[in-house]
Amino acid sequence: MQSIFNGKHFISLQEWSKDEIDTLLEVSLDLKKDFAMGNPTPYLLYKTIFLMFFEQSTRTRNSMEAGIAQLGGHGTFLDTSTMQIAHGEVAKDTAVILSRYGHGIACRNCFWGVGNKYLRDLEKWASVPVMNLQCDFYHPMQGIADLMTLREKTGSLKGVKVSIIWAYATSHKKPLSVPLTQLLLFPRYGMDVTLAYPEGYALPDWAIQQAKDNADTHGGKITVTNDMEKAYRGMHVVIPKNWGSWVTDMSDEERDKLLEANKGWKCTQKMIDIADKDVMYMHALPADRNNEVEDSVIDGPHSIVYDEAENRLHTAKAVMTLTMGGK
Ligand code: CP
């Protein structure tokens, strides 16, 4: 089956076929090699992408800005608080106008119950590809970088035992888009995925069902547990990360209490020691050091967080190259 990448939106990897994701991985690797060799990659010469951010970013913003420059195009960073959005301009008007000025629109909007709807509105009205830079449900740019990293490190992804584990954090109540994206994506590559969290931090039921369907279709496996130790024992890959108790209907005060009651959900050296001897520690970053994870782990020999973050550049360039320039 032929895939048409030009103009294709990138809101959720669930909407990209496995063949399309495989092509995305291949293009990412080509671009990584070209970057290492200093080869020019002018695939998006004179093209513009608009980068709308409702929230802060280090990796996503800079991988997109550096990436589009390396492809010969231009990225316009838009802090949405300085756009007319702040005065109520609707997604339709923003999408139509930016489509007339350039060749792609990318947006981060993580507000719970709002972000994905906003992205879908942009998608509906834009005449250029819309890229999700993280919403309340999905972070496909992170998901594809994680998949690339795991493929590089493990060779074959089939049967790799990976745990997505809730972790305590103080810094801010993080979205659940990273674990949700990983949960949907990894079983499509035959991985044996464990999702672990303390009570109160469940992911949406529809996401668990989709992940199980993906596992059934592609020979992966999904296990859901409230047992933290089980999620580390014998694992090849562990991804301990905080997310908020967004799914439950709680007051802020109850949420804070629940968070403090689960301080023990930290990635410690002791937990790494019960995993596989060659276990890999991943985190999308930013990490809440000494709350989500001990320094000795994130800075230790099992950590692959910087390789993971580097792949954000190569995969972002591949997404832009295919959707804004490909056939
Ligand atoms: N992982 C990630 O999306 O990082 P930023 O929030 O810094 O973009």
Side-chain angles (χ1 to χ4, degrees), residues 46 99 165 263:
Y46 311 124
S99 295
I165 310 168
K263 266 188 160 160

Side-chain angles (χ1 to χ4, degrees), residues 56-61 108 134 139 142 284-286 312:
Q56 301 86 342
S57 166
T58 296
R59 280 141 292 270
T60 307
R61 175 181 175 179
R108 167 172 286 190
Q134 189 174 18
H139 196 351
Q142 185 66 50
L285 303 179
R312 291 293 308 273

